[in-house]
Amino acid sequence: DKQKEEDRYEKVCYMCRRPESKAGPMISMPGGMNLCHDCMQKAFDSVMKNGMDLSQIPNMPYMNLNFNDLSQMPPKAEIPKKQKLKKSKEPQPQLTMKDIPAPHVIKEKLDAYVIGQEKAKKVMAVAVYNHYKRAFLGKEGSDSDDIVIEKSNILMIGPTGSGKTYLVKTLAKLLDVPLAIADATSLTEAGYIGDDIESVVSKLLAAAGNDVERAQKGIIFIDEIDKIAKKKQTNTRDVSGESVQQELLKLLEGSTVEVPVGSNQKNAMTPMATVNTDNILFICGGAFDGLEKIIEARQNTKSIGFGAEVAVQEERNVGEVLKDVMPEDFVKFGLIPE
């Protein structure tokens, strides 16, 4: 009965005073002391850097490494009590195909929040519907094995302030699915300072409350995707360019990745979770500054001579030019063909 009573309360970290719901799973120490993974990592880092002088560890009033001699432990009053009642985990209702509205209904709901951007809203509504249809086809209906819908990821192009991020946030709110928004500018090749590509999936897992099943049907929005274009005419190693695109391609096409739970760092102390990205909808957005010049250069094929057509060059705004974009324009900009 005492064990059941203790299980009803959240553990609190002895150093940073964060409960389990914020800090993640705790490491239980002798004498009723609990430490979160972040504080334990800081403690190990301080020990490795400064030798075994535990007085160098910040915010660490006491740590008894002689676990056999518990007589030197502080009284129970000094150890933080388990303060907060755990929330009873009620089984969340699983999304079914009936819960996903039709594309025209999604478009109408987006119209209530987003003004303009008609084409973007139509494309996104159809892509989201097809994405969830693909995700649920394997579970519902026995005659659905012959139907295969390809994964439909979305790339949004538009200048700053055109509403790319707002459109994705509104969409996730309407569908009530976990959403992670990541910035591609901080992504680097594995082994270099910066965020690994798996940190994008780790953010989605945190947004889903560490529920892998729910995260595997979520939405990931990667902003500033144009910043990881290949650098032209450089002799240094491009750690945030083409190599990041190659790693990102693995996630976009669907694969199984190991991501840390409750932390952005991979180490021996952090628990790992296996996430399959087959049914995660990836939406990428970027301003692609200078792409309109590449499009105009492709379209303006002038010729001279008696048979040449003389036409007056019409001034077009950036939005009208971007409508004529082709895959080869992105390759010239610096994205890999895949």
Side-chain angles (χ1 to χ4, degrees):
D1 292 341
K2 187 178 179 182
Q3 184 64 35
K4 287 181 181 178
E5 181 66 23
E6 286 187 357
D7 289 340
R8 292 179 59 230
Y9 292 90
E10 283 191 324
K11 296 175 182 176
V12 178
C13 178
Y14 185 70
M15 290 169 67
C16 65
R17 300 294 193 269
R18 290 186 299 169
E20 271 182 306
S21 57
K22 291 187 177 180
M26 298 281 177
I27 301 170
S28 296
M29 309 286 283
M33 185 164 56
N34 301 299
L35 291 175
C36 67
H37 288 281
D38 291 337
C39 293
M40 181 62 85
Q41 185 65 44
K42 287 178 186 175
F44 279 129
D45 291 343
S46 299
V47 169
M48 296 299 291
K49 184 178 178 182
N50 301 313
M52 291 301 291
D53 184 9
L54 293 177
S55 63
Q56 300 292 327
I57 302 175
N59 301 326
M60 188 69 174
Y62 178 82
M63 187 171 185
N64 181 15
L65 290 180
N66 185 10
F67 295 147
N68 297 320
D69 181 17
L70 298 181
S71 61
Q72 301 297 321
M73 290 294 291
K76 284 281 184 182
E78 294 181 24
I79 298 175
K81 299 292 182 184
K82 297 173 183 176
Q83 301 164 348
K84 194 176 173 185
L85 275 171
K86 282 184 181 176
K87 292 181 181 176
S88 57
K89 288 188 178 179
E90 298 177 358
Q92 292 187 343
Q94 291 291 326
L95 280 172
T96 60
M97 201 60 217
K98 294 177 183 177
D99 300 325
I100 304 299
H104 68 277
V105 179
I106 298 175
K107 165 77 165 53
E108 286 174 6
K109 290 182 177 179
L110 286 173
D111 285 338
Y113 291 89
V114 183
I115 299 169
Q117 307 293 6
E118 295 299 316
K119 185 182 178 184
K121 286 187 283 192
K122 286 179 183 177
V123 169
M124 192 169 285
V126 174
V128 166
Y129 183 78
N130 279 342
H131 167 74
Y132 282 102
K133 193 174 180 181
R134 175 182 180 275
F136 294 124
L137 269 180
K139 295 183 179 180
E140 300 174 10
S142 57
D143 57 343
S144 61
D145 296 334
D146 301 332
I147 305 169
V148 177
I149 300 176
E150 282 300 314
K151 199 163 187 274
S152 55
N153 298 314
I154 307 170
L155 175 64
M156 292 195 293
I157 319 160
T160 305
S162 55
K164 299 185 293 291
T165 309
Y166 183 65
L167 204 57
V168 177
K169 281 184 178 178
T170 307
L171 187 69
K173 185 166 65 174
L174 293 176
L175 294 177
D176 191 26
V177 294
L179 166 72
I181 298 178
D183 200 326
T185 52
S186 61
L187 298 177
T188 56
E189 191 179 345
Y192 288 85
I193 293 175
D195 292 337
D196 289 347
I197 202 71
E198 284 86 4
S199 67
V200 175
V201 186
S202 185
K203 285 181 182 177
L204 180 66
L205 190 61
N210 293 334
D211 184 355
V212 175
E213 285 292 325
R214 193 158 179 264
Q216 287 179 163
K217 291 185 175 63
I219 298 174
I220 292 178
F221 177 57
I222 304 176
D223 206 0
E224 307 288 353
I225 196 73
D226 54 321
K227 301 302 186 291
I228 59 169
K230 283 191 283 189
K231 305 291 185 294
K232 294 170 185 174
Q233 297 175 352
T234 178
N235 296 323
T236 57
R237 187 177 178 87
D238 189 11
V239 297
S240 61
E242 185 179 359
S243 54
V244 176
Q245 292 185 48
Q246 299 285 0
E247 291 184 45
L248 188 60
L249 182 65
K250 178 184 68 173
L251 295 186
L252 294 176
E253 291 182 338
S255 65
T256 304
V257 291
E258 292 276 334
V259 295
V261 180
S263 174
N264 287 331
Q265 295 180 346
K266 284 184 180 179
N267 52 50
M269 304 299 299
T270 308
M272 305 290 283
T274 304
V275 179
N276 189 353
T277 65
D278 275 338
N279 293 327
I280 295 176
L281 177 62
F282 285 89
I283 302 175
C284 299
F288 286 93
D289 187 31
L291 185 64
E292 67 276 2
K293 294 177 183 175
I294 297 174
I295 299 169
E296 286 176 340
R298 174 173 54 83
Q299 291 176 337
N300 295 338
T301 53
K302 297 178 181 178
S303 62
I304 59 172
F306 291 106
E309 293 182 8
V310 180
V312 179
Q313 184 74 24
E314 293 182 4
E315 287 292 330
R316 297 192 296 169
N317 60 30
V318 177
E320 290 175 348
V321 177
L322 288 177
K323 287 180 181 176
D324 300 330
V325 69
M326 297 290 287
E328 56 262 29
D329 298 326
F330 290 111
V331 177
K332 281 188 178 179
F333 187 85
L335 297 186
I336 58 175
E338 296 88 350

